[in-house]
Amino acid sequence: MVRMPTSHAPATDRSGLRLMHVHAHPDDESSKGAASTAMYAAQGAQVRVVTCTGGERGSILNPKMDRPEILANITEVRRQEMERARDILGITQSWLGFVDSGWPDGDPKPPLPEGCFGLVPLEEATERLVREVRAFRPHVMTTYDERGGYPHPDHIRCHEVSVAAFAAAGDPDRFPDAGEPWQPLKLYYHHSFNRPRMQALHDAMLEHGLESPWAERLKEWKPEPEWDDRITTRVPCGDYFGVRDQALLAHATQIDPDGFWFAIPRELQQEVWPTEDFELVESHVPSSVPEDDLFAGVTPDA
Ligand SMILES: [Zn+2]
């Protein structure tokens, strides 16, 4: 029998695998882990983003969109932006239905606004997320680390609610009215915004005679080797950086196309740091780290 040579390795098939990302605001799904999200979705995994708040208190960060009629309809505008990003990434998305806490500006910080996500009792928010987990039945969940990735009150709360829901969703005694118990197998924190990556991209820009967008940030950000050592999982997904960028651009009120997000040529990013990075914090399947796949050790549903 003659074996025909194949020019391409068969694409990885992720059918029967489900991944849930829990995020604080619309746009966070496109700025954290978006390339691996697009890759897993393209390979056949089902990916669901749960967005805790509507992003109602986000400022308009793109000068071209800073217009009164957009600000007056910001909730609806951000919904539409989220729908575009969702379609670009090839995922599904649901809203947990809480209200953005806003960034507390000032010294001392002002109190959080009444009724916002940051003030909702943990049990109440956890029950809503448990309901989402039990309905979607993810094998893998991701969220922010305990510092929130950055210290927005909604990001800290998103971390707390996700960790609580990961622990509760499989327990029949917790939230018995929120659906059939389902235990996700692995929990990860996002770690792509790490200093070594920023330094590597900064150095590469200078080597190519380009202006780095990170010079100031690096001066202020002291090295944190112990923090960086927490990374267990680097997912190669450079081929999907273009999809990530399109999803980011869909959040037109939040992302300035002429801003720092796009200051580093994509080819340089693919060459210098072609992964998105995560920390495996809990696993109910045998896993050995370091690893390069969020689904390592997970068997797909038949
Ligand atoms: Zn956010």
Side-chain angles (χ1 to χ4, degrees):
M1 195 171 94
V2 180
R3 260 186 96 177
M4 297 297 289
T6 51
S7 55
H8 298 285
T12 310
D13 182 8
R14 308 285 188 168
S15 310
L17 291 168
R18 292 180 298 278
L19 168 63
M20 176 181 278
H21 296 301
V22 189
H23 284 294
H25 309 109
D27 77 12
D28 286 319
E29 83 296 327
S30 296
S31 59
K32 297 167 235 336
S36 49
T37 291
M39 180 187 77
Y40 285 127
Q43 292 172 345
Q46 285 176 266
V47 186
R48 169 77 49 91
V49 162
V50 178
T51 314
C52 295
T53 79
E56 300 86 349
R57 289 198 172 89
S59 336
I60 293 182
L61 301 175
N62 174 3
K64 289 168 232 34
M65 295 293 282
D66 199 354
R67 303 198 296 266
E69 71 275 18
I70 289 178
L71 200 55
N73 293 308
I74 192 70
T75 304
E76 184 51 31
V77 169
R78 295 202 70 180
R79 266 186 182 271
Q80 291 168 2
E81 291 175 348
M82 183 63 240
E83 285 171 15
R84 275 198 291 280
R86 173 198 69 194
D87 293 347
I88 289 164
L89 293 171
I91 62 172
T92 57
Q93 184 260 354
S94 56
W95 302 93
L96 216 49
F98 294 107
V99 177
D100 193 337
S101 305
W103 176 257
D105 231 348
D107 188 16
K109 288 182 190 301
L112 294 180
E114 204 179 317
C116 72
F117 181 49
L119 295 177
V120 171
L122 184 60
E123 284 287 289
E124 186 185 329
T126 302
E127 176 162 16
R128 275 201 218 177
L129 183 55
V130 163
R131 195 177 293 280
E132 292 286 331
V133 171
R134 289 177 179 171
F136 182 67
R137 299 164 24 116
H139 300 95
V140 175
M141 280 177 72
T142 76
T143 187
Y144 313 135
D145 61 67
E146 67 276 14
R147 303 198 299 201
Y150 88 118
H152 191 295
D154 289 336
H155 284 237
I156 308 277
R157 202 57 166 164
C158 176
H159 158 80
E160 293 165 344
V161 171
S162 306
V163 169
F166 184 87
D171 183 345
D173 295 331
R174 306 283 312 278
F175 311 112
D177 301 327
E180 282 287 301
W182 172 265
Q183 180 59 59
L185 299 174
K186 297 171 98 179
L187 177 67
Y188 287 93
Y189 296 160
H190 291 273
H191 270 271
S192 283
F193 202 71
N194 61 69
R195 198 183 183 287
R197 172 174 173 271
M198 189 179 276
Q199 183 75 55
L201 291 168
H202 170 87
D203 294 345
M205 288 292 277
L206 299 188
E207 269 167 39
H208 286 75
L210 298 165
E211 196 186 330
S212 164
W214 300 125
E216 287 305 309
R217 273 306 275 273
L218 281 167
K219 258 185 242 163
E220 290 163 14
W221 192 354
K222 292 194 181 67
E224 302 180 285
E226 280 166 31
W227 185 264
D228 301 328
D229 283 348
R230 285 174 48 172
I231 293 171
T232 57
T233 311
R234 298 185 193 275
V235 180
C237 53
D239 289 349
Y240 291 84
F241 284 178
V243 185
R244 173 203 64 189
D245 290 349
Q246 290 306 310
L248 266 173
L249 286 169
H251 292 284
T253 60
Q254 304 301 305
I255 302 294
D256 180 354
D258 301 318
F260 68 91
W261 289 108
F262 304 101
I264 301 174
R266 193 181 303 147
E267 299 69 27
L268 202 60
Q269 297 180 47
Q270 287 165 330
E271 184 189 311
V272 173
W273 206 281
T275 61
E276 287 178 341
D277 308 326
F278 299 85
E279 174 186 2
L280 176 62
V281 283
E282 259 197 84
S283 182
H284 294 276
V285 290
S287 43
S288 64
V289 295
E291 52 173 22
D292 61 3
D293 177 13
L294 300 181
F295 289 113
V298 177
T299 311
D301 287 0

